[in-house]
Amino acid sequence: MTAEAGLPEYQLVGIPGDGVGPDVVTAAKRVLAAVGARFGFGIAWQEIEVGGAGIDAYGMPIRPEDLAACAASDAVLLGAVGGPKWDDPAAAVRPSRRCSPCAAGWACSPTSAR
């Protein structure tokens, strides 16, 4: 529940990622805030760095604690991962290799529940 009049609050993880991802996530967050205001719910955001941004920050595209945060959330908003900077097919670490929900071991059906 949110502090605002006992409205339900959802825990979401935002992953801006790379390229246009940060712009997409910023716009989507504004839309979700408007939807929440209209339909009476709040969103608590946790933002993580994944993909090329994760490689640059941590040396890996997604950390175990990031996967755990995503698994514990109600939903994940993913912008985009990868870009020309990380496109070397011979690279040992690439953004999209481990950032796919299927590669991370998550259920890959739009109807699957956690």
Side-chain angles (χ1 to χ4, degrees), residues 46-62:
Q46 177 182 355
E47 201 161 284
I48 60 176
E49 291 190 48
V50 168
I55 291 172
D56 291 348
Y58 312 114
M60 62 181 63
I62 189 163

Side-chain angles (χ1 to χ4, degrees), residues 16-102:
D18 312 310
V20 300
D23 295 329
V24 170
V25 169
T26 296
K29 283 177 152 183
R30 285 195 305 264
V31 170
L32 288 170
V35 170
R38 169 68 175 88
F39 292 101
F41 64 86
I43 298 174
W45 288 99
Q46 177 182 355
E47 201 161 284
I48 60 176
E49 291 190 48
V50 168
I55 291 172
D56 291 348
Y58 312 114
M60 62 181 63
I62 189 163
R63 302 174 301 166
E65 56 263 42
D66 298 328
L67 288 171
C70 292
S73 70
D74 293 308
V76 175
L77 175 60
L78 173 62
V81 294
K85 180 178 178 181
W86 307 279
D87 271 352
D88 179 2
V93 180
R94 294 183 60 204
S96 58
R97 271 250 155 93
R98 296 296 309 161
C99 293
S100 158
C102 296

Side-chain angles (χ1 to χ4, degrees), residues 74 101 105-114:
D74 293 308
W106 298 345
C108 293
S109 165
T111 58
S112 60
R114 60 175 172 131

